[in-house]
Amino acid sequence: MGKVAKATVSLMIVTMLSKILGFGRELVLGALYGATVYSDVFIAASNIPKVLFTLVATALATTFIPLYYENLREGGEEKALKFSNNILNITIILGIILSTISFIFAEPIVKIFAMGFKGETFKQAVLFTRIIIFGAIFTGLSDIMKSYLQSKGSFTIPGLIGLPYNIILITAMILSVLLDNIYILPVGALFAMASQFLFQVPFAYKKGYKYRLFVDFKDEYVKKMLILVAPIVVGVAVDQINIMVDKTLASTLVEGSISALNYADRLKGFVTGMFIASISAVVYPQFSRLSALVDRTEFFNFIRKSINAVIIIIMPMTVGAMVLSEPIVRILFQRGAFDARATQMTAVALIFYSIGLIGVGLRDILTKIFYSVQDTKTPMINATMAVIMNICMNLLFIKYLKHAGLALATSLSSIICITLLFRSLKKKIGDFGQKKIIIVFLKTTFSAIIMGGAARFVYKLVFGALGAGFIMEVIALGTAIIVGAGVYALLIILLRVEEVSMITDIVKKKLKRK
């Protein structure tokens, strides 16, 4: 258990470092290019290989580990290594074929992903795509190598691959401006994607990996992998389709719409990645262990506590991001080419994306619960329904709210998705404490709303007293966040939210012992 805890803490630390550097990458892009046609083209072209290849690569990597262990049990290290090389080489072949096809048909692909691009903007997007698309080969290889290292008990190295990726991209962004050559951006993106795989190779060799040129499409485990990946591919595709639909429709709007959505989405992802991803990584093994017990009381209690923990963390962030969206965006992004117009567009998108934070946070936890009871179809079906509704709402809201409507549609679809998952989970396992979860949700929502009002009041009061200026606004925002956090903590303690009471009781006991 000590090793698991140590690995979890290490993974949380490196994930935090990677997220911070990734966020820094967005700050650099915003400062150098703002919400302009160049940033729109680069972001759109960078997203194309992610949508086309990430779902396949993720599905292969997810099914790799259990099949690797199965080979290890049956034939030892030699058979497991043979299986690893077979999957790695098949991934290379598939990556080359798909990348070549995408290179040839880059123009129609860009028309699908960015239908609003015309003239020179369209030509640049096609060229960017043709350069970046071959990096998709390394996306698959990186995911397979990551799974190999994790099967060997190495979690820190796979968690660090975001560091070389972001460093190379940031360097490319700076060089593209210094050398006045926009095409350094896609070349940098290609090298960045390759670095994620190459970074892991030396560590894999230390763990016993040895490359062999071996390909067998008829291998029984390759056939088994194809069967297992089907629901996972669909599940991952759901998120990618959401991204594609948003970016495609945003390309039909005014210049900078794609960038504004991207920056706001990065802020949302920073929050969920820093906290929810870490919680999910810790609770998933516990879900799997407890679901196998005959008496499921402990399993149900752990589900309820995990969901409530996410609610307690997400609700103040949701309200806080909504009431303080403009100063947050202005402080983080408004410099260089990122002007007041870009700030306003991004802040509006952040407000509407924040509505769905609770959906994003809980979806990951609920999906892991279904996986722990060996049900991969239910999340896939519910997520597919949510995507269909997201597309319908996109088409409706874009007419009235422009790019903000796309963010709102994404948020509402994620809330619909978790509503469906909650209903399906109740049918699947019965009562797991839904009433207590609703009570916690109502208490935290009330506390977060009061907190939001207090934070907004304090920000205006302090900023008004100190006057304009970057440093003054940072002080005002920091003060508002501290006061808001204090108000929220006090309210949920007074309202006796169970999970908070548990924490305060533990602290009191430790203080008494001392």
Side-chain angles (χ1 to χ4, degrees):
M1 193 66 186
K3 289 183 179 180
V4 174
K6 187 177 180 181
T8 303
V9 172
S10 299
L11 184 58
M12 288 175 68
I13 293 171
V14 298
T15 300
M16 187 179 296
L17 290 172
S18 181
K19 285 289 180 183
I20 292 171
L21 192 58
F23 190 66
R25 180 193 74 223
E26 298 301 325
L27 293 179
V28 172
L29 180 63
L32 296 177
Y33 289 99
T36 63
V37 65
Y38 295 114
S39 58
D40 280 358
V41 166
F42 178 61
I43 292 167
S46 298
N47 279 324
I48 288 173
K50 290 179 184 178
V51 174
L52 293 178
F53 298 99
T54 298
L55 72 163
V56 178
T58 302
L60 289 173
T62 303
T63 55
F64 176 90
I65 294 177
L67 293 177
Y68 175 88
Y69 282 128
E70 195 170 329
N71 277 271
L72 190 64
R73 285 194 303 269
E74 292 184 2
E77 289 287 348
E78 186 177 343
K79 186 173 176 61
L81 185 59
K82 189 177 181 181
F83 166 75
S84 301
N85 278 311
N86 192 25
I87 298 302
L88 193 77
N89 289 323
I90 288 174
T91 303
I92 292 173
I93 294 169
L94 290 174
I96 291 173
I97 293 171
L98 292 172
S99 295
T100 303
I101 293 171
S102 300
F103 180 88
I104 295 169
F105 296 100
E107 289 193 10
I109 288 172
V110 171
K111 285 180 181 177
I112 293 171
F113 283 83
M115 64 173 68
F117 287 174
K118 307 292 181 184
E120 191 62 32
T121 302
F122 176 75
K123 290 180 181 178
Q124 280 192 333
V126 170
L127 183 55
F128 273 38
T129 300
R130 283 180 168 152
I131 295 171
I132 296 173
I133 203 70
F134 285 100
I137 299 170
F138 297 101
T139 299
L141 294 177
S142 175
D143 284 347
I144 296 298
M145 194 57 68
K146 183 193 300 183
S147 295
Y148 177 83
L149 285 168
Q150 289 174 344
S151 69
K152 290 292 185 179
S154 177
F155 296 93
T156 304
I157 298 304
L160 286 169
I161 62 173
L163 300 183
Y165 175 83
N166 287 311
I167 289 170
I168 292 172
L169 267 181
I170 290 171
T171 303
M173 290 172 187
I174 295 171
L175 287 175
S176 70
V177 173
L178 292 177
L179 301 177
D180 193 24
N181 189 339
I182 191 68
Y183 298 104
I184 292 175
L185 283 177
V187 173
L190 175 61
F191 280 106
M193 293 167 80
S195 73
Q196 293 182 302
F197 167 67
L198 298 174
F199 176 77
Q200 297 177 88
V201 172
F203 299 98
Y205 269 84
K206 286 184 180 180
K207 291 290 183 179
Y209 176 74
K210 294 178 182 178
Y211 177 74
R212 296 287 185 272
L213 185 58
F214 171 75
V215 178
D216 183 8
F217 284 98
K218 295 181 180 180
D219 181 72
E220 62 173 304
Y221 292 101
V222 173
K223 294 177 182 178
K224 189 178 288 188
M225 179 176 276
L226 290 175
I227 295 171
L228 291 171
V229 299
I232 300 173
V233 166
V234 176
V236 176
V238 163
D239 288 331
Q240 298 303 324
I241 289 170
N242 266 334
I243 294 169
M244 183 187 73
V245 170
D246 282 0
K247 296 292 188 298
T248 301
L249 291 175
S251 70
T252 66
L253 300 173
V254 297
E255 179 185 311
S257 295
I258 291 179
S259 299
L261 286 170
N262 180 70
Y263 296 132
D265 187 54
R266 292 299 185 203
L267 282 170
K268 181 187 74 174
F270 184 77
V271 171
T272 55
M274 286 278 282
F275 299 99
I276 306 307
S278 298
I279 293 173
S280 178
V282 173
V283 301
Y284 184 37
Q286 294 298 319
F287 285 147
S288 301
R289 181 181 66 83
L290 296 173
S291 65
L293 298 178
V294 177
D295 184 359
R296 287 194 163 187
T297 303
E298 191 177 353
F299 178 49
F300 293 160
N301 287 336
F302 192 70
I303 288 174
R304 175 175 52 79
K305 290 176 183 178
S306 300
I307 291 173
N308 284 345
V310 172
I311 292 172
I312 291 168
I313 292 171
I314 287 293
M315 290 314 299
M317 292 181 177
T318 297
V319 176
M322 292 175 73
V323 300
L324 299 172
S325 62
E326 195 165 325
I328 289 172
V329 173
R330 186 161 46 240
I331 289 171
L332 291 175
F333 291 111
Q334 190 169 313
R335 56 187 60 85
F338 199 102
D339 55 16
R341 171 181 171 273
T343 293
Q344 193 273 331
M345 289 180 69
T346 304
V348 170
L350 179 59
I351 290 172
F352 287 101
Y353 269 139
S354 297
I355 294 171
L357 270 177
I358 189 68
V360 175
L362 289 180
R363 186 182 63 182
D364 196 25
I365 298 296
L366 292 170
T367 301
K368 290 294 193 300
I369 296 169
F370 279 102
Y371 287 166
S372 72
V373 294
Q374 300 180 16
D375 180 358
T376 57
K377 291 182 180 180
T378 301
M380 175 191 73
I381 293 169
N382 288 347
T384 303
M385 292 171 63
V387 163
I388 294 170
M389 284 182 273
N390 178 57
I391 294 171
C392 294
M393 288 187 289
N394 268 330
L395 297 172
L396 175 64
F397 295 155
I398 193 174
K399 295 179 180 179
Y400 306 102
L401 299 173
K402 306 303 179 185
H403 74 291
L406 300 178
L408 177 60
T410 299
S411 292
L412 293 179
S413 68
S414 66
I415 292 172
I416 291 169
C417 184
I418 63 162
T419 303
L420 295 172
L421 285 172
F422 267 115
R423 289 181 60 187
S424 298
L425 187 60
K426 184 179 180 181
K427 291 180 181 178
K428 183 79 178 180
I429 65 175
D431 185 12
F432 54 89
Q434 296 93 313
K435 289 183 180 179
K436 290 185 178 180
I437 292 171
I438 292 172
I439 291 170
V440 168
F441 176 76
L442 293 174
K443 288 181 178 180
T444 53
T445 301
F446 171 77
S447 302
I449 291 172
I450 301 300
M451 175 215 74
R456 183 68 183 173
F457 174 78
V458 169
Y459 168 76
K460 286 189 172 182
L461 183 68
V462 175
F463 191 56
L466 293 176
F470 178 79
I471 300 298
M472 305 305 175
E473 187 159 29
V474 170
I475 294 172
L477 181 61
T479 305
I481 291 172
I482 292 170
V483 171
V487 169
Y488 180 76
L490 179 62
L491 285 172
I492 59 175
I493 290 172
L494 292 174
L495 292 173
R496 298 184 179 277
V497 176
E498 184 181 346
E499 283 68 22
V500 177
S501 300
M502 288 167 55
I503 296 171
T504 54
D505 288 343
I506 291 170
V507 173
K508 287 177 182 178
K509 287 178 182 178
K510 286 188 176 183
L511 290 173
K512 285 181 180 179
R513 287 175 187 173
K514 290 182 179 181

